């Protein structure tokens, strides 16, 4: 069945022959292991009006469980669901529900086909969580339908649970190419330990302690902390455990969802959306009507072209009939609710006067290049800021946000860099345990660069913006007269990063 990938993507336009003849092999790697879909546009939608999504209250609530806790029966059910999904692609390549066309849905909404067409972008903004929730829903319902079991639920890969910083065994090892959950263009093997550049306690602590929705979930223009890390680095690591190359499935947006583990990874991201919302009353979804009304189209389990809005997915139990059985172990991260010691001491918390943005780097002409070596920008702290920083405690209501704006990367390249404040000597070897570690910026490759071979126009990465709460670091550096930000290109732990073809336009510290 691996052959089907090549039949649709590659043999058709590259003339690669019977690369993978074995009917049940998912692990045969043809000589040219590159497979950008030429055209991943949804099939058969011309002239169709999408039907609005309606909840099905009669359906049982599908309970998603950790991939590390599945019973033998549940593993068998999962495998037969994906076997059926792959078989659908083989038997009826034009059925929109089959494995390959399901993968194309993700391609369409983010990577785009190598013919240059793409749907509205769903990465790098506050569309990230809701779009993927809707996608998981339709994917899961299709699997239910194929195996005739409305209780079927996707497993989640809880890389944030104690003892689970490894690749879930059920998704296959390289010696078992008959496993329908295995993907040939993946380097993480069953049980492999995840690089600390992909998942670590300090990274998860930074992300899960994001204090407001724009920081955690992103905004109309900015990517959120979760999308940046660990979401992106786990993609990169799964495809290439050295975290250097973007010529695999999971590391590239156009092909990521052809790997079944994509859905287990995103189930965990989706679970952590709900977990984060439950950590504090200050953690809320947006009430912006433009956001709530944003809608996308998917084929449902009966091949009905369906439109679903963000407002349809915000109560997943009621509307989607899906929920999570919590892991039976604790997370490796801890939530530290902001306390108010000033209030406890009987003194009103001090709200420093709002200060102007402090720009560390800016370029409207030539973008600033980020290659293989760390880049540090430092500025003298103006007196008004020295005063504002001095008035700050980690628990004060004021917050300082570091913005990295206008990040661009070549379409067939990825970028990943760790950000440090006031640690100008940070390198790729610096531990993320450093109290000056702020977070990780990740931009996944869109394509594997096959478009050039077709000589067609390319759909380009829009610029990406990232933002991080650095209040605690600023509060801890009272009296400092200089402020520095260091961007450190990163690869897998202990691996030298390759030169990134990334640029950015602005580094700025701004009061929220
Ligand atoms: Cu749509 Cu994890 O990427």
């Amino acid at each position: 069945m691996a052959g089907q990938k090549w039949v649709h993507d590659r043999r058709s336009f590259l003339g690669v022959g019977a690369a993978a003849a074995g009917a049940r092999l998912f692990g045969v790697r043809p000589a040219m292991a590159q497979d950008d879909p030429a055209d991943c546009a949804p099939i058969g939608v011309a002239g169709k009006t999408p039907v609005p999504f309606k909840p099905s209250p009669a359906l049982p609530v599908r309970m998603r469980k950790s991939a590390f806790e599945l019973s033998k029966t549940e593993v068998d059910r999962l495998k037969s669901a994906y076997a059926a999904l792959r078989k659908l692609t083989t038997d009826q390549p034009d059925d929109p529900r089959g494995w390959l066309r399901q993968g194309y849905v993700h391609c369409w909404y983010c990577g785009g086909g190598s013919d240059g067409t793409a749907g509205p972008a769903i990465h790098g903004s506050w569309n990230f969580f809701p779009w993927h929730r809707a996608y998981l829903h339709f994917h899961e319902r299709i699997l239910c339908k194929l195996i005739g079991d409305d209780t079927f639920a996707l497993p989640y890969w809880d890389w944030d649970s104690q003892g689970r910083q490894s690749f879930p065994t059920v998704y296959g090892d390289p010696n078992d190419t008959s496993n329908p959950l295995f993907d040939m263009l993946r380097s993480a093997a069953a049980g492999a330990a995840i690089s600390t550049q992909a998942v670590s306690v300090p990274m998860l602590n930074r992300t899960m302690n994001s204090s407001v929705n724009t920081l955690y979930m992103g905004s109309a223009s900015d990517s959120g902390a979760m999308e940046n890390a660990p979401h992106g680095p786990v993609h990169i690591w799964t495809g290439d455990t050295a975290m250097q190359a973007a010529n695999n499935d999971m590391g590239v947006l156009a092909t990521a969802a052809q790997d079944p583990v994509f859905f287990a990874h995103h189930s965990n991201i989706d679970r952590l959306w709900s977990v984060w919302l439950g950590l504090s009353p200050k953690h809320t979804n947006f009430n912006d009507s433009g956001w709530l009304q944003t809608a996308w189209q998917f084929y449902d389990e009966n091949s009905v072209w369906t439109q679903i809005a963000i407002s349809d997915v915000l109560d997943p139990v009621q509307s989607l009939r899906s929920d999570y059985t919590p892991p039976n172990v604790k997370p490796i991260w801890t939530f530290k609710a902001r306390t108010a010691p000033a209030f406890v001491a009987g003194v009103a918390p001090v709200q420093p006067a709002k200060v102007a943005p402090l720009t560390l780097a800016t370029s409207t002409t030539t973008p600033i290049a980020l290659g293989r070596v760390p880049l540090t920008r430092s500025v003298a702290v103006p007196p008004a800021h020295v005063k504002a920083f001095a008035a700050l405690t980690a628990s004060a209501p004021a917050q300082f946000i570091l913005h990295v704006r206008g990040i661009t990367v070549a379409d067939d390249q990825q970028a990943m860099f760790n950000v440090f404040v006031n640690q100008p000597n940070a390198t790729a070897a610096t531990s993320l345990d450093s109290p000056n570690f702020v977070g990780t910026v990740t931009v996944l490759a869109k394509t594997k660069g096959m478009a050039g071979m077709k000589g067609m126009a390319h759909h380009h990465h829009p610029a990406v913006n990232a933002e991080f709460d650095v209040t605690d670091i600023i509060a801890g550096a009272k009296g400092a007269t200089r402020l520095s930000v260091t961007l450190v290109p990163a690869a897998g732990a202990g691996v030298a990063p390759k030169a990134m073809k990334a640029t950015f336009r602005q580094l700025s510290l701004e009061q929220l």
Side-chain angles (χ1 to χ4, degrees):
M1 260 185 274
Q4 66 215 16
K5 196 164 190 170
W6 322 118
V7 170
H8 297 298
D9 294 347
R10 187 168 301 103
R11 279 184 205 160
S12 54
F13 70 92
L14 287 180
V16 175
R24 281 195 46 78
L25 295 183
F26 305 116
V28 177
R29 192 181 279 256
M32 184 174 281
Q34 304 278 332
D35 60 335
D36 274 359
D39 173 5
C40 55
I43 191 167
V45 297
K48 262 185 206 166
T49 306
V51 175
F53 170 82
K54 278 211 186 53
S56 307
L59 284 176
V61 175
R62 303 182 301 283
M63 297 303 293
R64 296 180 184 156
K65 279 178 67 176
S66 166
F68 294 83
E69 295 175 31
L70 301 178
S71 67
K72 166 90 173 72
T73 317
E74 286 162 339
V75 170
D76 290 345
R77 182 170 71 156
L78 177 66
K79 287 185 175 173
S80 55
Y82 276 91
L85 194 73
R86 290 182 184 270
K87 187 170 184 304
L88 187 54
T89 290
T90 309
D91 294 351
Q92 293 165 62
D94 287 346
D95 190 309
R97 302 167 303 171
W99 158 76
L100 188 61
R101 295 215 174 266
Q102 282 293 294
Y104 282 7
V105 173
H106 190 254
C107 165
W108 171 247
Y109 277 107
C110 50
S114 52
D115 64 350
T117 60
I122 44 88
H123 295 99
S125 78
W126 60 7
N127 290 336
F128 172 74
F129 277 108
W131 184 87
H132 288 83
R133 175 171 288 173
Y135 182 37
L136 291 176
H137 170 77
F138 290 106
H139 183 74
E140 188 173 71
R141 287 293 299 145
I142 288 166
L143 293 168
C144 287
K145 173 91 179 188
L146 294 180
I147 59 169
D149 182 348
D150 283 335
T151 69
F152 170 83
L154 292 163
Y156 60 85
W157 175 10
D158 49 334
W159 28 250
D160 67 308
S161 291
Q162 287 178 9
R164 296 182 182 169
Q165 287 66 55
S166 63
F167 191 82
T169 312
V170 54
Y171 281 85
D173 77 62
N175 301 316
D176 180 12
T177 55
S178 68
N179 180 353
L181 306 175
F182 179 70
D183 181 73
M184 69 184 87
L185 298 176
R186 173 209 286 164
S187 88
I194 301 180
S195 168
T196 50
Q197 176 58 41
V199 172
S200 68
V201 174
M203 179 194 279
L204 278 160
N205 278 344
R206 299 288 320 179
T207 292
M208 294 307 290
N209 282 282
S210 301
S211 53
V212 291
N213 48 23
T214 47
L215 293 170
Y216 188 70
M217 300 169 65
S219 65
S221 59
D222 289 19
S223 54
M226 176 53 89
E227 182 178 357
N228 274 295
H231 163 259
V234 170
H235 268 276
I236 291 175
W237 177 83
T238 302
D240 170 26
T241 53
M243 304 182 79
Q244 287 183 320
N247 59 0
N248 51 74
D249 278 348
M250 268 289 273
V252 178
L253 293 175
T255 53
Q258 292 181 35
D259 185 335
V261 85
F262 172 99
F263 298 94
H265 177 38
H266 270 280
S267 289
N268 201 46
I269 300 278
D270 187 67
R271 181 180 68 87
L272 290 175
W273 178 11
S274 303
V275 167
W276 180 83
L277 286 171
L279 290 173
S280 160
K282 291 185 188 134
H283 296 181
T284 58
N285 282 318
F286 304 98
N287 53 22
D288 179 278
S289 62
W291 185 72
L292 292 167
Q293 287 162 23
T294 299
W296 302 284
Q297 294 83 37
F298 297 87
Y299 276 109
D300 78 358
E301 71 274 20
N302 298 311
S303 300
V304 175
W305 186 234
T306 305
Q307 173 149 312
I308 189 163
I310 291 180
S311 56
D312 290 323
V313 306
L314 298 181
D315 185 349
V317 178
Q318 287 310 311
S319 68
L320 306 177
R321 311 298 288 160
S322 89
D323 202 357
Y324 292 91
T325 302
N328 62 15
V329 289
K330 289 197 160 62
I332 59 173
W333 49 271
T334 29
F335 175 64
K336 298 184 192 75
R338 279 168 179 261
T339 51
F343 176 76
V344 173
V347 182
V350 180
Q351 172 73 57
K354 193 148 179 168
V355 287
L358 189 49
T359 304
L360 290 108
T362 189
S363 170
T364 48
T365 50
T366 321
I368 304 157
L370 250 188
R372 199 175 46 78
V373 295
L375 177 145
T376 296
R377 288 294 161 110
S378 111
V379 289
V381 181
H385 288 76
V386 173
K387 232 175 130 185
F389 295 172
L392 198 60
T393 66
S395 56
Q399 281 179 265
F400 282 93
I401 311 300
L402 179 71
H403 292 264
V404 189
R405 293 200 174 94
I407 307 157
T408 59
V409 193
D411 289 345
D412 59 350
Q413 302 283 313
Q414 65 196 17
M416 178 171 58
F417 52 94
N418 297 324
V419 184
F420 295 84
V421 166
N422 290 341
Q423 190 165 359
N425 59 355
T427 68
T430 303
S431 166
L432 304 187
D433 268 318
S434 160
N436 298 78
F437 169 64
V438 162
T440 301
V441 176
T442 314
V443 182
L444 296 177
K446 282 201 155 195
T447 73
K448 295 176 185 171
M450 294 294 285
M453 299 190 68
K454 282 193 82 187
M456 302 199 72
H458 222 281
H459 174 87
H460 290 291
H461 264 298
V464 173
N465 306 311
E467 48 181 306
F468 299 97
D469 186 346
V470 295
T471 312
D472 55 341
I473 298 173
I474 298 294
K478 282 191 191 40
T481 53
R482 290 198 76 79
L483 176 83
S484 75
V485 172
T486 302
L487 308 180
V488 181
V495 179
K498 281 193 175 162
M500 294 188 301
K501 291 179 184 149
T503 63
F504 69 99
R505 288 193 178 271
Q506 196 185 47
L507 268 181
S508 172
L509 181 74
E510 295 169 23
Q511 201 171 332
L512 188 71

